[in-house]
Amino acid sequence: KSFLNHTAYLSCYFPNSQKTDIKDLIVFWQKGLEVVHEVYYGQEKHDNISPEYKNRTKMDMDKWTLQLLNAGIVDEGQYACIIQQRVKGIPRIIHQSECLLHIIANYSQPQIAWLHKGELKPNEYLKLCCSSSGGYPKPKEMTWLISHENKTHRLMNHMDISQDAVTKLYNVTTKLNTTVPTNTLTNISCLLHLGEELGSLVSVPLGI
C-alpha cells in the first residue's frame, strides 16, 4: 500500500541465500508488458523503460526493493520482479516474484449539513446530508448514529458515490430524514467505513 503522490516501495522478495553480488545479475521490473525498471550487472539501464515510468524509479540494491516516486492511482496493479544470472554465458531466471500495489488517498472528515429551511418544530422531519470527498479506494458504507437517552441507533441509508474523471478520487454523500426529537438532547453523527484495514472516519456530532 502507498499513499497517493508518495513513494511506493515494491519488494522483490529475493532471499539471495547464495549472497550473489548484484554485479552478476540482471534485474527486471515489469507491469504487464510495460518495462518499469532494469538493472544490468549492477548498472541501472533506462533505454527500454516505458515513458510513464521514466525518471520515477530507483532500485535499492541492498534491499532488492524498487522505489516508485509520486505513485498515482494509474500505478495500481501487479508488478513482476525477474532476476537472471548468467550460467555458462546464458542468462537464466533464478528468481521471480510478484507484488500488488494499492493506492490510498485520505478522505476528508465527514461533514453534516442541514437541508432544512426555517424553524424546526417537534415531530417534523429533519433533513440532513453527510458528505466526504477526495478519497481512494471506494469506501464500504456510510452510517448514521443517532444517540439519545443513552441509546444509539444505527441507520444505513443509500450512499451516493461519484468519481472524478481526472483525479479518479471519490466523493460520497448520504441523506437522513428523521423526526425532530422532543424534550431530549439528541446527538447525530455520520460514520464513513473505509474497510477493515483503513478503519473509519466520523463527523463532528450534531446536537439537537
Side-chain angles (χ1 to χ4, degrees), residues 2 11-12 27 41 43 49 52 75-77 94 115 119 188:
S2 173
S11 178
C12 252
V27 183
Y41 306 114
Q43 295 297 312
I49 293 175
E52 53 267 46
D75 295 318
E76 274 200 322
I94 59 164
L115 298 178
E119 193 185 337
I188 298 176

Side-chain angles (χ1 to χ4, degrees), residues 29-85:
W29 280 93
Q30 282 179 280
K31 185 188 182 202
L33 298 174
E34 294 176 329
V35 178
V36 178
H37 199 82
E38 292 181 329
V39 180
Y40 272 74
Y41 306 114
Q43 295 297 312
E44 294 187 296
K45 195 177 166 194
H46 305 285
D47 309 354
N48 302 320
I49 293 175
S50 294
E52 53 267 46
Y53 295 104
K54 280 258 160 91
N55 304 319
R56 289 183 59 217
T57 56
K58 280 195 297 193
M59 175 96 180
D60 184 331
M61 312 279 187
D62 297 325
K63 295 179 181 168
W64 304 94
T65 299
L66 184 74
Q67 297 176 28
L68 177 59
L69 311 179
N70 199 29
I73 290 166
V74 291
D75 295 318
E76 274 200 322
Q78 194 150 290
Y79 291 77
C81 170
I82 300 148
I83 300 177
Q84 296 179 334
Q85 186 175 21

Side-chain angles (χ1 to χ4, degrees), residues 10-27:
L10 306 170
S11 178
C12 252
Y13 305 108
F14 181 47
N16 197 16
S17 49
Q18 305 293 320
K19 301 281 183 272
T20 310
D21 194 312
I22 197 157
K23 291 189 176 75
D24 299 323
L25 301 172
I26 299 169
V27 183

